[in-house]
Amino acid sequence: MSRIFALVDCNNFYASCEKLFRPDLKNVPMVVLSNNDGCVVARSKEAKALGIKMAVPVFQIQEQIEQHGILLFSSNYALYADLSCRVMTILEGLAPKVEVYSIDEAFLDLSGLGSAVSLLEFGQNIKETVAQWVGLSVCVGIAPTKTLAKLANHAAKKYPATGGVVDLTQRERQQRLLAITPVTDVWGVGRRLGKRLDMMGIKTALDLAKCVPATIRNSFSIVLERTVRELNGESCLDLEELPPTKQQIMCSRSFGSRITTLEQMSEAIAQYTARAAEKLRQENQQAKVLTVFVQTSQFKQSQKMYSNSVTGELVLPSSDTRELNELAMQLLKRVWKEGYSYSKGGVMLSDFYDNDTYQPGLFDDVAKRPNNTKLMAVLDEINQSGLGKVFLARQGMNNTWQMKREYLSPAYTTCWADLPKIN
Amino acid sequence: MQISILGKSCSATYSGEHQLAIPLFLDRVPAGFPSPAQDYVERTLDLNELCIKHPAATFFVRVEGDSMIEAGIYPNDILVVDRSVRAEHGDIVIAGFHGELTVKELELKPVTRLVPRNKAYQPIEVPEGCELEIFGVVTSVVRNMRRKTSAKS
């Protein structure tokens, strides 16, 4: 049976989320900034029209910001995650199978639907429903493979005449679109790969589609071979409905201000460890291995650079914040070097086991802390209730290194105190 | 006066993940002299079920101002807003007008107007060609009758 996939992708997702409760921002150019308010990570269509580029540091566009009155927003992940979840829930109600691909994208499996309904109308219905229910605009690309669905979506975004929905199930239309699409716009073809292909005279997506798959496998990779097959309408990539169980959990951030003392770094590492342990418990897993890493800024060439990580192992896997933190503090002392100004640090947990399924060695010292599972459950309950925080003293009270979020909007949908105010 | 005890509600998170199961007692109780002797458990009640038909499309907003008090909407009330409902003539809606979100009664005939429910305020005419954005339709009001303990979390 021939397959049909749709890719649904929210337009200017972060920027649109910020505008949802702010009708006054309707045609106002605005950008959303990365952690620590460093770089532009999302732009409204007005900011795009002003030529603001993705990932540009804020200080480089200061002049444009003032000249055009571009508004700045810090990343409000609570808001974006809630609205994303709503969009995905709607998609799950409309399509038989959904793969949540990222915070603002989902693949749908529509195989077998084509004979019953018009795919174009189906796509338009998705677009209208999401707009009505959540107030966000999406584009829909429909095609026999995921790679072509990506391209169809790209076209739906790029050409307003499509109305935001492109049905690319006909071979003729596929060929026409491929011919005008640069090869670097193909899913999985990055800039570097694009350069190599360009040197071989492969400039458009159609050029790539016409390559012999076996040749591509030999001179590139099996991954690119699959892309060639997918461009020709042969589905190689299936829908992945269930996210694979996590193999590792990472918690790391850039600091709001540079860290120069072990005291401060201990606070930061303790806090990331606590966060990672909380995530671990949510997955009902225990970890045996923990890595701590620290690094100085990669950008400031004038300063001494240092970057290092060290990994340690617990006797028994654990999800107890106290046990993990004890190890993290030992490891930090080994990796820490005085005299540097650090810009980033983090912890990674790995080697996971389901709760209490680990078989200890005969001579392992296996004394567990009593009631630790219960204690951690209480800790999580308090911390997730929004009423207050309970944490290890090591995490510190006065975190001057905390992430900068000067332009943070309210958590409109996830906090009672932040509800939109209506007159 | 007679009241029926239906049971207590669960917390108002829309996710439904943390629903509290509270038994419903089907027993008519004359006010003042409740007799729990014959209580028996029938099922549990969830306030979300009553107020929220489309969780993915439902938003909460907080009321400021007194333009709707004759419709029973007071300052500091929380409104349950369902975006999936198409706004009709006579609905109470949240609308974006002149760059601001406002709660008013929607009139579509004879002309489109946003009507406050307080005699001290004038209806807002929406001239033709002027964009009126309906954010959603108000479906329920949540009011804490003891203001001192209103939800703060």
Side-chain angles (χ1 to χ4, degrees):
Chain A
M1 187 185 72
S2 70
R3 309 291 306 270
I4 297 172
F5 295 93
L7 178 67
V8 181
D9 188 355
C10 299
N11 301 337
N12 314 321
F13 180 62
Y14 290 0
S16 306
C17 291
E18 294 290 352
K19 288 191 174 197
L20 184 58
F21 299 101
R22 296 283 305 271
D24 55 312
L25 300 184
K26 192 151 192 275
N27 298 309
V28 176
M30 44 104 32
V31 295
V32 178
L33 306 177
S34 60
N35 288 344
N36 290 316
D37 298 337
C39 302
V40 171
V41 290
R43 303 154 294 163
S44 70
K45 63 175 190 303
E46 300 82 9
K48 281 181 185 171
L50 288 171
I52 304 293
K53 294 271 176 288
M54 196 64 172
V56 63
V58 178
F59 69 86
Q60 281 182 17
I61 54 166
Q62 209 60 49
E63 211 169 290
Q64 283 152 291
I65 290 172
E66 277 160 37
Q67 190 188 339
H68 302 287
I70 300 173
L71 293 183
L72 306 179
F73 284 84
S74 303
S75 299
N76 185 345
Y77 289 111
L79 177 66
Y80 312 151
D82 176 69
L83 294 175
S84 166
C85 179
R86 289 164 184 263
V87 173
M88 299 308 168
T89 307
I90 291 167
L91 296 180
E92 276 158 13
L94 293 173
K97 287 186 194 163
V98 177
E99 172 191 344
V100 176
Y101 183 67
S102 73
I103 193 164
D104 60 353
E105 282 174 286
F107 282 106
L108 316 180
D109 187 347
L110 307 181
S111 306
L113 222 63
S115 50
V117 294
S118 147
L119 288 169
L120 189 66
E121 277 172 30
F122 189 86
Q124 283 161 346
N125 182 43
I126 287 175
K127 186 175 167 61
E128 279 159 27
T129 307
V130 175
Q132 166 90 28
W133 286 40
V134 194
L136 296 173
S137 110
V138 299
C139 280
V140 185
I142 302 167
T145 70
K146 279 174 141 184
T147 306
L148 285 172
K150 266 267 185 192
L151 278 183
N153 188 288
H154 196 74
K157 277 211 160 88
K158 196 168 174 185
Y159 306 108
T162 60
V165 182
V166 168
D167 174 3
L168 204 62
T169 45
Q170 288 174 353
R171 184 154 176 88
E172 244 173 72
R173 296 195 74 192
Q174 291 165 15
Q175 301 280 308
R176 255 185 294 156
L177 180 62
L178 292 178
I180 55 168
T181 305
V183 73
T184 45
D185 281 358
V186 175
W187 192 29
V189 179
R191 209 181 295 162
R192 265 187 25 216
L193 200 52
K195 255 185 202 158
R196 275 180 70 193
L197 290 167
D198 189 78
M199 285 193 298
M200 296 166 66
I202 300 167
K203 294 179 192 305
T204 67
L206 189 61
D207 295 338
L208 182 60
K210 281 182 177 159
C211 293
V212 181
T215 319
I216 291 291
R217 183 177 53 210
N218 290 335
S219 36
F220 291 91
S221 65
I222 191 156
V223 180
L224 196 63
E225 182 203 354
R226 261 189 233 138
T227 304
V228 172
R229 291 182 187 278
E230 285 239 318
L231 285 175
N232 285 295
E234 182 188 336
S235 176
C236 305
L237 302 166
D238 214 337
L239 213 64
E240 289 168 25
E241 281 179 271
L242 286 179
T245 40
K246 287 206 177 102
Q247 298 301 307
Q248 47 188 235
I249 289 175
M250 171 105 122
C251 189
S252 97
R253 310 252 152 82
S254 298
F255 305 128
S257 56
R258 299 275 181 268
I259 280 183
T260 50
T261 66
L262 180 59
E263 175 72 25
Q264 281 179 319
M265 186 62 96
S266 303
E267 283 179 13
I269 294 297
Q271 208 161 96
Y272 299 154
T273 306
R275 181 74 193 110
E278 193 180 345
K279 282 193 207 166
L280 186 65
R281 292 193 290 272
Q282 276 167 11
E283 304 260 321
N284 291 317
Q285 299 278 307
Q286 296 178 325
K288 198 164 186 300
V289 171
L290 187 146
T291 305
V292 171
F293 63 90
V294 294
Q295 66 186 49
T296 57
S297 173
Q298 313 279 327
F299 301 106
K300 292 210 169 128
Q301 303 289 344
S302 53
Q303 285 171 354
K304 285 188 295 179
M305 301 225 305
Y306 171 66
S307 162
N308 204 353
S309 72
V310 59
T311 298
E313 201 171 332
L314 294 164
V315 179
L316 279 183
S318 169
S319 60
D320 186 318
T321 304
R322 296 166 300 172
E323 287 166 8
L324 293 167
N325 194 51
E326 213 169 274
L327 177 60
M329 290 302 116
Q330 287 168 20
L331 297 176
L332 174 60
K333 281 185 194 118
R334 291 191 11 218
V335 79
W336 174 261
K337 264 194 189 171
E338 206 66 49
Y340 293 88
S341 55
Y342 294 91
S343 65
K344 193 174 182 178
V347 295
M348 191 174 81
L349 302 176
S350 48
D351 194 12
F352 290 173
Y353 297 86
D354 289 337
N355 281 340
D356 298 318
T357 54
Y358 180 73
Q359 181 71 55
L362 185 56
F363 301 107
D364 285 346
D365 178 12
V366 293
K368 277 191 87 100
R369 295 179 194 230
N371 290 328
N372 62 345
T373 320
K374 261 191 187 158
L375 176 66
M376 289 302 126
V378 170
L379 195 76
D380 290 343
E381 203 183 315
I382 295 171
N383 287 342
Q384 284 157 19
S385 70
L387 293 172
K389 296 276 172 206
V390 175
F391 49 89
L392 301 180
R394 179 73 272 170
Q395 289 170 236
M397 301 282 286
N398 194 358
N399 305 141
T400 48
W401 45 268
Q402 270 305 4
M403 197 157 76
K404 262 193 285 187
R405 290 163 102 189
E406 275 177 48
Y407 313 103
L408 189 61
S409 55
Y412 294 112
T413 57
T414 51
C415 175
W416 290 115
D418 282 1
L419 294 186
K421 296 188 170 55
I422 309 290
N423 231 307
Chain B
M1 178 186 162
Q2 281 215 324
I3 55 163
S4 288
I5 294 179
L6 297 171
K8 290 176 189 166
S9 80
C10 79
S11 67
T13 47
Y14 77 86
S15 72
E17 268 179 40
H18 305 288
Q19 290 185 353
L20 285 174
I22 290 166
L24 158 69
F25 298 100
L26 277 185
D27 202 20
R28 289 189 79 77
V29 181
F33 300 94
S35 161
Q38 289 159 32
D39 293 345
Y40 59 93
V41 176
E42 184 81 352
R43 52 167 293 196
T44 59
L45 282 183
D46 178 359
L47 193 52
N48 293 321
E49 208 181 295
L50 194 70
C51 300
I52 299 174
K53 297 281 179 282
H54 310 99
T58 298
F59 294 85
F60 299 139
V61 300
R62 174 95 55 188
V63 177
E64 284 188 335
D66 57 359
S67 68
M68 292 298 283
I69 50 175
E70 284 159 26
I73 294 174
Y74 292 87
N76 215 31
D77 283 356
I78 290 172
L79 303 180
V80 180
V81 183
D82 190 340
R83 286 191 59 107
S84 69
V85 179
R86 296 254 172 215
E88 290 170 13
H89 177 81
D91 277 337
I92 290 175
V93 298
I94 306 294
F97 191 67
H98 284 321
E100 207 183 305
L101 287 177
T102 178
V103 55
K104 295 286 177 289
E105 189 175 309
L106 178 70
E107 282 189 4
L108 296 171
K109 49 200 172 184
V111 290
T112 306
R113 300 200 299 175
L114 292 172
V115 185
R117 295 287 299 277
N118 179 341
K119 292 187 184 68
Y121 293 80
Q122 290 299 311
I124 305 164
E125 305 268 345
V126 182
E128 243 172 87
C130 183
E131 224 176 327
L132 174 69
E133 277 196 17
I134 302 294
F135 179 85
V137 174
V138 176
T139 54
S140 299
V141 184
V142 181
R143 178 176 318 131
N144 197 318
M145 302 306 285
R146 300 181 67 202
R147 281 296 154 88
K148 278 179 194 158
T149 58
S150 65
K152 274 189 187 133
S153 57

